[in-house]
Amino acid sequence: MSGLLAFPSSAAVAQPDQVQAQAQVQAQAQAQRAPLQLTRQPQGLSAVSRLQFFEDTTRALTIEQVRTPEQEARFGYPNDPLVGKESDRVLWFKVQMQLADPAEATREWLMLVPTVSSHDLRFYGPYDAQGRALAAPVVTGMRHPWSTRPAASEQMAWRFKLPDAQPYTVYFRVESTFARIYDVSVWDLSDYLQSTQDKRMYDGVTYGLLLGLMVYGLVLLLVFGEGLYAFYLLTCVCGLLALGSFNGHVLRYPFANWPAAAGAAYTAGPALWAICKLQFGRRLLRLRHFAPRLDGSVQGLTALLLVAIPYAMWGAHPLVTFQLVQMSVVVSTVVLVAGALVAVRGRYWPAFFYFFGIATLLVGISAIVIASWGWIAWSPSQMNVSQGALVAELVVFAVAMASRLKLVLRSEQALTARTQQLIEALGTDALTGASSRTGLEGRAEQWLNERQPFALILLDLNGFKGVNDQHGHAAGDAVLVALGRRLYQQVQPGDMVARLGGDEFAVLLAGPTTHERLADIALRMAAAGSQPVRHEGRTVTVGMSLGIAVFPADGQTLAGLLRSADLAMYHCKHQPSGLPYAFAGELPGRGTSAAGEVQTSAG
């Protein structure tokens, strides 16, 4: 039918695409079956695509049994190797490899299994085509001392050589509470050691910051003695313990020959950190005041974590318990975020900084927790993100504590000022217990209104500034307190001793008195004031100058009497006679105006 055009069917059109897709699948399968070609790669050669595995449900298979045809048939390639839940199990892995260049036969290689938490990890091989192992098995892991690590690496690693370009097979067995398909890679030994330098520096900076924050928390605890600072210090300590465990440094350094202790730290560290963080948060945020229900939730989570720690170490289901701890950490972080928002609404500004710290941690830990649940692919960098988030959180917490200290300081300053106002209203000097200027003015005005004769002695300390400069203000305060007490011992019950400010005192002596009595009192006061004062094992000594004014002869008002006494005191400081006192009425060139106010001859 020459007049008709023939169109291919849709199946015929699709057939080339299907053939191409099938060819790609077959090519990928063949590539997986082909041995891993070992070539030097500066960032390591990934072996994940060549990795076969199966789960040993008996947990008792030996390498001889695994290499039988029956067990060999169980090995298979995972569909999505780096996405999967962690679980308490035993996994056997198998990878075939060969040198891409026979000249590399002298090179030493390193197979890296990126885990620090595997209880027991055993490497077997390499096996040649005749089934002969080129090296003895290597057994290492968290249950074994640090000396079992072939490459002295925090992560599990195995050193090996291939003598020629023939295919070789390597097996390794992993027993872990957190077993998964690992991102296995093969490295040139020198390249691997070089690649760890950045990580080591990152860990060193992290630990240094944590130690600095620990010192900061310890200083605050020693100075203020509050539980808040104790829990901050413990949060830093437990955070350092948890990170050191996750990075493998707890087993490497403090517990190199005590793997059980390192395992306990790995298990308990995160839970203890979460407990201390919860208790720090509820105190800083004042949840009992701002959000009582959230405070109860925090206490409940704390109790849950306390129970989980011993069960995780000795219970029958450690993985379930560890996942419960992970969930508790996430939930507690969310609860504290909510608590911080509530406190911010109450205009409690330290909660503002706390919110950003806890939110940073929530973002940082989410990746590693979600990966452990099998929702996203696992990557070693996730641990670095969580590590950085933990330190950043504690730094922000330190800023929040500084903000709280600023608030406390402001409150104390306001309280001190108010207390001073109340004390002054009552006419008492807060430091010495003597009367204040307000008290002096009240008593003097009363006597002036009653036209009752009295004497005013104004005194000032000689050398007091040197005491403050040489020994500190605390020593100066001690001198003022001692002087106030000694002045009281020289007067009668109806008299008044008042501190006007700084190192200036005034004494009101009631009733008429003689010139000789005033001179005697002034000498006794000067002698008492010159006695040494002991302060913190040191002796300090000051002198005294006194000016004496008498009502009504030297002034009709308190202001006039104070001016007269001040002139006399100034004259005393510079007179050649050496007496510690001077009378206003005996100053040369002075007289009294018609109004009774003292004037100088120049006035």
Side-chain angles (χ1 to χ4, degrees):
M1 299 177 60
S2 59
L4 297 178
L5 295 175
F7 292 92
S9 66
S10 59
V13 173
Q15 188 173 3
D17 293 337
Q18 293 175 351
V19 170
Q20 184 178 5
Q22 291 174 357
Q24 290 177 349
V25 171
Q26 291 175 356
Q28 291 176 356
Q30 291 175 356
Q32 284 183 326
R33 297 189 189 99
L36 178 68
Q37 300 296 305
L38 293 189
T39 58
R40 183 178 180 180
Q41 299 288 337
Q43 300 303 316
L45 178 65
S46 176
V48 176
S49 62
R50 305 297 198 278
L51 205 60
Q52 303 177 61
F53 86 106
F54 73 84
E55 180 178 353
D56 178 10
T57 55
T58 68
R59 308 175 77 100
L61 291 176
T62 64
I63 182 61
E64 290 77 15
Q65 293 171 324
V66 167
R67 297 189 68 248
T68 62
E70 177 184 1
Q71 299 298 334
E72 285 278 3
R74 297 177 60 187
F75 280 106
Y77 295 97
N79 294 327
D80 199 351
L82 298 182
V83 177
K85 292 184 179 180
E86 296 174 337
S87 60
D88 187 4
R89 54 185 172 170
V90 172
L91 298 178
W92 279 91
F93 294 91
K94 170 185 173 181
V95 59
Q96 290 183 313
M97 59 185 69
Q98 67 180 139
L99 295 175
D101 182 358
E104 301 283 353
T106 59
R107 185 178 301 280
E108 186 172 27
W109 302 93
L110 190 76
M111 176 178 284
L112 181 69
V113 182
T115 172
V116 299
S117 60
S118 296
H119 301 312
D120 185 89
L121 198 147
R122 306 185 178 207
F123 295 95
Y124 300 94
Y127 288 91
D128 61 17
Q130 288 73 39
R132 293 174 298 190
L134 301 185
V138 172
V139 180
T140 186
M142 282 281 287
R143 290 176 179 166
H144 304 278
W146 176 258
S147 58
T148 62
R149 302 292 177 95
S153 168
E154 288 81 9
Q155 300 187 27
M156 308 299 178
W158 175 58
R159 300 165 70 167
F160 68 96
K161 288 183 177 181
L162 298 184
D164 50 49
Q166 300 301 314
Y168 289 87
T169 305
V170 171
Y171 301 85
F172 61 95
R173 175 188 182 274
V174 177
E175 179 183 352
S176 176
T177 303
F178 318 103
R180 61 181 304 127
I181 309 300
Y182 299 100
D183 189 10
V184 177
S185 55
V186 179
W187 295 73
D188 172 78
L189 182 59
S190 60
D191 288 342
Y192 173 73
L193 295 176
Q194 181 65 33
S195 72
T196 61
Q197 296 306 310
D198 290 342
K199 172 61 175 172
R200 293 182 186 277
M201 182 176 296
Y202 180 72
D203 291 342
V205 171
T206 298
Y207 297 157
L209 286 172
L210 285 174
L211 289 173
L213 294 173
M214 287 166 57
V215 173
Y216 173 68
L218 179 61
V219 170
L220 292 179
L221 176 61
L222 293 176
V223 172
F224 298 102
E226 290 187 53
L228 169 73
Y229 305 117
F231 279 110
Y232 179 80
L233 174 61
L234 290 173
T235 301
C236 294
V237 172
C238 293
L240 181 61
L241 178 66
L243 290 181
S245 299
F246 291 157
N247 288 324
H249 296 137
V250 170
L251 177 61
R252 178 169 189 172
Y253 297 110
F255 301 128
N257 297 309
W258 193 7
Y266 189 94
T267 302
L272 291 173
W273 164 75
I275 290 171
C276 296
K277 183 169 70 75
L278 282 169
Q279 293 303 311
F280 167 77
R282 67 181 290 266
R283 283 168 170 78
L284 180 70
L285 297 176
R286 297 170 59 197
L287 290 184
R288 185 180 298 179
H289 172 74
F290 288 109
R293 291 185 178 179
L294 289 177
D295 184 67
S297 299
V298 168
Q299 294 293 69
L301 286 169
T302 300
L304 180 64
L305 288 168
L306 285 172
V307 173
I309 292 174
Y311 190 78
M313 288 193 274
W314 299 293
H317 305 287
L319 179 63
V320 174
T321 308
F322 195 85
Q323 290 174 340
L324 179 63
V325 171
Q326 284 183 329
M327 180 65 73
S328 299
V329 169
V330 174
V331 171
S332 64
T333 304
V334 173
V335 169
L336 291 174
V337 167
L341 290 175
V342 173
V344 168
R345 290 181 59 188
R347 296 184 179 275
Y348 181 59
W349 297 118
F352 179 79
F353 296 103
Y354 184 89
F355 169 78
F356 281 101
I358 202 73
T360 299
L361 178 69
L362 182 61
V363 173
I365 65 174
S366 293
I368 194 169
V369 172
I370 292 174
S372 70
W373 294 345
W375 294 359
I376 62 174
W378 180 87
S379 169
S381 62
Q382 292 164 359
M383 182 59 210
N384 292 336
V385 173
S386 297
Q387 180 172 323
L390 186 148
V391 176
E393 176 202 46
L394 289 172
V395 171
V396 177
F397 285 178
V399 176
M401 287 196 301
S403 175
R404 177 181 180 271
L405 283 175
K406 189 175 182 180
L407 284 179
V408 171
L409 180 60
R410 287 179 178 175
S411 299
E412 289 184 351
Q413 289 174 340
L415 180 61
T416 301
R418 179 58 179 163
T419 302
Q420 185 65 33
Q421 291 174 356
L422 293 174
I423 290 174
E424 290 180 357
L426 294 174
T428 304
D429 178 62
L431 176 63
T432 63
S435 297
S436 65
R437 180 182 288 271
T438 302
L440 176 78
E441 291 173 349
R443 179 72 65 87
E445 291 299 331
Q446 177 187 351
W447 291 351
L448 288 169
N449 292 333
E450 295 174 354
R451 306 299 296 175
Q452 175 183 340
F454 66 92
L456 170 67
I457 301 179
L458 189 66
L459 56 94
D460 183 73
L461 300 184
N462 303 327
F464 182 74
K465 183 177 183 300
V467 172
N468 279 335
D469 293 342
Q470 184 175 356
H471 302 288
H473 289 281
D477 289 346
V479 170
L480 295 176
V481 171
L483 178 61
R485 183 174 62 253
R486 293 172 184 177
L487 290 176
Y488 265 114
Q489 295 171 353
Q490 310 304 320
V491 300
Q492 300 298 318
D495 301 333
M496 172 179 280
V497 176
R499 181 184 174 218
L500 303 184
D503 61 337
E504 191 174 33
F505 286 79
V507 178
L508 293 179
L509 301 175
T513 186
T514 63
H515 184 282
E516 291 75 14
R517 179 172 179 269
L518 288 174
D520 180 65
I521 293 174
L523 286 172
R524 286 192 282 112
M525 287 183 176
S530 64
Q531 294 297 315
V533 177
R534 297 285 297 177
H535 175 71
E536 295 183 350
R538 295 170 295 179
T539 301
V540 293
T541 305
V542 295
M544 184 185 298
S545 297
L546 301 90
I548 306 172
V550 178
F551 171 75
D554 298 319
Q556 294 294 312
T557 65
L558 177 61
L561 290 168
L562 286 172
R563 282 195 297 271
S564 296
D566 186 64
L567 287 171
M569 182 178 67
Y570 181 80
H571 176 76
C572 173
K573 284 180 177 290
H574 299 89
Q575 68 178 343
S577 65
L579 290 174
Y581 64 88
F583 285 89
E586 296 180 352
L587 297 180
R590 288 179 57 84
T592 306
S593 69
E597 294 295 340
V598 176
Q599 296 180 335
T600 64
S601 59

